[in-house]
Amino acid sequence: MKIRLGIPKGSLQEATLQLFARAGLSIFLNARSYFATTADPEIECMLIRAQEMARYVEHGVLDVGLTGLDWVIESGLEVVTVSDLVYAKQSRGKVRWVLAVPEESAFHSADDLHNRIVATELVQVTQKYFERKNVAVRVEFSWGATEVKPPMLADAIVEVTETGSSLRANHLRIIDTVLESNTQIIANKTAWRDGEKRRKIENLSLMLRGAMDAQDRVGLMLNVRKKDLAAVLAVLPALKKPTISTLSDEDWLAVNTVIEESQAWQIIPLLKEAQAQGIVEYPLNKVVM
């Protein structure tokens, strides 16, 4: 049994490959091919543009793929949403498709764009957005470089952004959010009904989410006398509760927990004050809830 996996080519490609590597599955690319190999003989890979991923998953060319919620909605196709993976090109946050206009324009809301031209790659979503607001506009498909089109080629744009820096650099002002999006694992309906393929897809999802949950977290190990345990536990946040085990010396305990990496700077000195000893901070590859 093999599953065919779609990796998004383009802006999400590098972040996706890094995520798979952290999850423990190396993907080997050939610069001259859209096919890739993996360390798992049961997984075959293809590089597909995120905009087209839902089509090839829905048609059964791929069993599973990673793409944005935005492109799934835009396609209007029926696929199984296996899991949300909140990461983007530059960050671990969601991206936004925003309605933006020239800084010096008189447009301040969607209502001001009646009978105007709006350029975007996300045509169907944009049309439905204006229909919900009962605003008649002409939505034109943009092949790219959408930010440079106002005011000469369009009155406004709907464009994706993580930070807004590209829009500001092109003297554009955001007036509304059309859609928030994040990366998703999507599956073909037939593949999802196949027991073996579904198990493989679920395991893939489990490992990817585990790698994401481990990001920005570290493990802490320490020893503490039984009489000082309450003071140590008062310092420690935890996903659930720290693991506590006995040592060969009956008066001592070992404590193991997971914390946000940013908290270690404040927490470790407090643990020392609470009489913890042998404190070890270590990196995490995966955290599986």
Side-chain angles (χ1 to χ4, degrees), residues 49-266:
R49 294 175 74 241
Q51 294 92 324
E52 300 177 294
M53 190 71 72
R55 182 199 316 165
Y56 292 117
V57 169
E58 197 263 356
H59 291 176
V61 177
L62 300 169
D63 297 307
V64 60
L66 280 75
T67 189
L69 169 64
D70 43 7
W71 298 117
V72 175
I73 295 174
E74 177 73 4
S75 74
L77 298 172
E78 294 187 7
V79 293
V80 177
T81 301
V82 179
S83 182
D84 285 299
L85 301 174
V86 183
Y87 73 93
K89 178 182 177 181
Q90 299 174 348
S91 69
R92 290 190 61 198
K94 293 187 175 185
V95 298
R96 292 188 301 151
W97 285 86
V98 297
L99 177 61
V101 296
E103 285 178 348
E104 304 302 322
S105 73
F107 307 128
H108 297 284
S109 72
D111 293 337
D112 298 331
L113 292 167
H114 184 72
N115 287 336
R116 300 287 183 163
I117 296 173
V118 180
T120 184
E121 287 184 78
L122 206 68
V123 172
Q124 299 301 320
V125 170
T126 299
Q127 286 177 338
K128 290 175 182 176
Y129 165 83
F130 281 102
E131 285 170 6
R132 288 195 300 271
K133 292 181 174 293
N134 293 315
V135 177
V137 298
R138 193 168 94 200
V139 179
E140 293 187 348
F141 177 74
S142 172
W143 290 95
T146 308
E147 298 100 323
V148 305
K149 295 191 173 179
M152 292 183 65
L153 303 177
D155 299 292
I157 64 170
V158 171
E159 180 65 336
V160 67
T161 183
E162 285 186 60
T163 65
S165 58
S166 179
L167 296 172
R168 290 190 295 272
N170 285 280
H171 307 292
L172 297 173
R173 170 169 45 87
I174 297 171
I175 59 174
D176 199 6
T177 296
V178 174
L179 176 70
E180 282 195 343
S181 180
N182 57 266
T183 307
Q184 291 187 329
I185 303 173
I186 60 172
N188 171 267
K189 287 186 173 183
T190 302
W192 192 245
R193 288 193 294 267
D194 182 303
E196 283 189 87
K197 287 189 175 183
R198 178 167 180 163
R199 190 176 307 110
K200 191 72 177 180
I201 293 168
E202 287 177 331
N203 288 343
L204 182 149
S205 172
L206 176 74
M207 298 299 278
L208 292 177
R209 285 187 286 110
M212 289 200 66
D213 288 338
Q215 280 187 279
D216 303 323
R217 288 176 173 154
V218 294
L220 276 185
M221 295 189 299
L222 59 91
N223 296 333
V224 62
R225 293 182 187 274
K226 286 182 178 179
K227 65 182 181 66
D228 297 317
L229 178 63
V232 164
L233 294 182
V235 173
L236 287 175
L239 293 178
K240 292 189 181 292
K241 291 184 178 180
T243 300
I244 301 171
S245 53
T246 56
L247 298 176
S248 56
D249 185 330
E250 293 182 356
D251 291 330
W252 286 82
L253 298 168
V255 178
N256 201 329
T257 192
V258 173
I259 64 170
E260 298 292 330
E261 186 174 16
S262 60
Q263 296 176 320
W265 178 260
Q266 287 81 26

